[in-house]
């Protein structure tokens, strides 16, 4: 299971427990995030490097092809993984991959992310994140620590420390990644393009719904509806696990 953006393995804790009844489940903090600190100075992160990390991890822990779930930019990493190393993946569920370069209005989103990056350089991470969250239509409501279970509050505090890396070194290279659609199409029968029910019905969610729909159209396949929105695997872990088991079979 490959987490996205500035998150880490903690976002999968509930669903991983449920899936572990049937599968060996492996989660990890992507390089530079939380408990996977970089060994040297921070540099711009590349999807291709992150997919090599996933490759090495699979070669270490798995004895054969594995089912892979990726969400958000983690779904882009997963797609790059199956394109480059198809023998390692038995089935791939790409949940709401923000492949913005596939969109007809890609130039608009490049300009938007340039503006967020420039805001980060001028005014700092907090203001830039507020601009980014509003611009992509995510829910900006953050519960107080007192409202959250201690484990969740601890995970959120830990992931907040990834904000600088995300804005400085992931935001632009990740949103400018161009998938090799021709190579991916060779493995389309093993790729499930997943979107949340709430995302599909929410205009603000079109930024992650549209790329999945466009890629499915190029493949000649259908997108698969999953419970919830961009974070449905966490907010609706039990229902999400049921759907994930269904598509993996």
């Amino acid at each position: 299971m490959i987490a996205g953006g500035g998150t880490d393995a903690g976002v999968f804790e509930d669903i991983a427990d449920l899936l572990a009844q049937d599968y060996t489940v492996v989660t990890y903090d992507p390089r530079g995030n939380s408990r996977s600190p970089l060994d040297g100075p921070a540099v711009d992160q590349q999807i291709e490097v992150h997919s090599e990390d996933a490759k090495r991890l699979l070669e270490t822990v798995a004895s054969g092809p594995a089912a892979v779930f990726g969400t958000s930019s983690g779904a882009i990493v997963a797609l790059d993984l199956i394109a480059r190393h198809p023998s390692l993946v038995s089935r791939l569920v790409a949940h709401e991959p923000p492949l913005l370069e596939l969109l007809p209005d890609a130039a608009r989103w490049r300009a938007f992310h340039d503006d967020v990056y420039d805001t980060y350089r001028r005014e700092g991470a907090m203001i830039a994140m507020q601009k980014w969250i509003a611009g992509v239509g995510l829910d900006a409501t953050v519960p107080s620590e007192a409202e959250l279970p201690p484990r969740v509050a601890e995970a959120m505090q830990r992931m907040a420390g990834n904000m600088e890396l995300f804005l400085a070194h992931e935001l632009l290279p990740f949103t400018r990644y161009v998938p090799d659609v021709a190579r991916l199409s060779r493995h389309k029968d093993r790729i499930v393009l997943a979107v949340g029910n709430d995302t599909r019905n929410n205009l603000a969610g079109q930024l992650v719904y549209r790329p999945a729909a466009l890629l499915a159209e190029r493949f000649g396949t259908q997108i698969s509806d999953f419970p919830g929105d961009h974070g449905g695997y966490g907010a609706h872990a039990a229902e999400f696990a049921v759907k994930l088991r269904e598509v993996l079979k």
Side-chain angles (χ1 to χ4, degrees), residues 11-12 14-15 40 47 71 91 109 113 125 128 135 144 154 163 189 206 228 244 247:
V11 298
F12 295 134
D14 289 340
I15 192 170
I47 292 292
T71 185
R91 196 156 181 79
W109 292 108
H113 284 102
S144 68
E154 178 186 352
M163 192 184 304
D189 292 340
Q206 298 304 300
L244 191 52
V247 301

Side-chain angles (χ1 to χ4, degrees), residues 39-50:
D39 291 334
V43 297
D44 283 355
Q45 300 295 297
Q46 303 297 328
I47 292 292
E48 296 85 351
V49 174
H50 281 245

Side-chain angles (χ1 to χ4, degrees), residues 101-242:
E101 289 296 315
L102 294 180
L103 299 176
D105 55 347
R108 169 197 169 196
W109 292 108
R110 279 186 228 116
F112 166 71
H113 284 102
D114 284 341
D115 181 47
V116 172
Y117 178 77
D118 291 343
T119 300
Y120 161 69
R121 296 295 298 270
R122 290 193 316 268
E123 303 178 55
M126 191 61 66
I127 300 298
M129 282 300 293
Q130 290 172 355
K131 177 178 282 190
W132 182 73
I133 288 170
V136 299
L138 293 176
D139 185 0
T141 305
V142 179
S144 68
E145 288 193 14
E147 299 175 283
L148 297 169
R151 173 178 58 79
V152 177
E154 178 186 352
M156 289 185 65
Q157 186 175 30
R158 181 180 67 237
M159 287 184 274
N162 302 327
M163 192 184 304
E164 292 279 348
L165 181 74
F166 173 73
L167 288 166
H169 298 293
E170 293 181 349
L171 182 71
L172 296 187
F174 280 16
T175 56
R176 281 161 166 73
Y177 171 82
V178 180
D180 188 333
V181 177
R183 185 184 288 186
L184 283 171
S185 66
R186 299 172 198 160
H187 314 293
K188 62 183 181 181
D189 292 340
R190 288 184 284 143
I191 297 173
V192 177
L193 292 160
V195 298
N197 285 317
D198 295 344
T199 301
R200 180 197 282 268
N201 298 322
N202 182 347
L203 186 60
Q206 298 304 300
L207 188 60
V208 285
Y209 168 75
R210 288 167 61 211
L214 284 168
L215 193 55
E217 183 180 353
R218 294 196 189 184
F219 289 169
T221 59
Q222 300 293 319
I223 55 175
S224 182
D225 285 333
F226 273 67
D229 55 17
H230 203 53
Y233 51 86
H236 306 282
E239 299 93 332
F240 205 99
V242 170

Side-chain angles (χ1 to χ4, degrees), residues 2-9 27-57 73 77 161-162 164-166 169-170 174:
I2 306 176
T7 66
D8 64 31
T27 62
Y28 65 100
D29 296 355
R31 69 163 55 208
N33 285 358
S34 301
R35 297 155 295 193
S36 292
L38 298 172
D39 291 334
V43 297
D44 283 355
Q45 300 295 297
Q46 303 297 328
I47 292 292
E48 296 85 351
V49 174
H50 281 245
S51 75
E52 285 298 309
D53 290 342
K55 168 185 176 286
R56 286 192 291 269
L57 182 57
S73 61
V77 172
N162 302 327
E164 292 279 348
L165 181 74
F166 173 73
H169 298 293
E170 293 181 349
F174 280 16

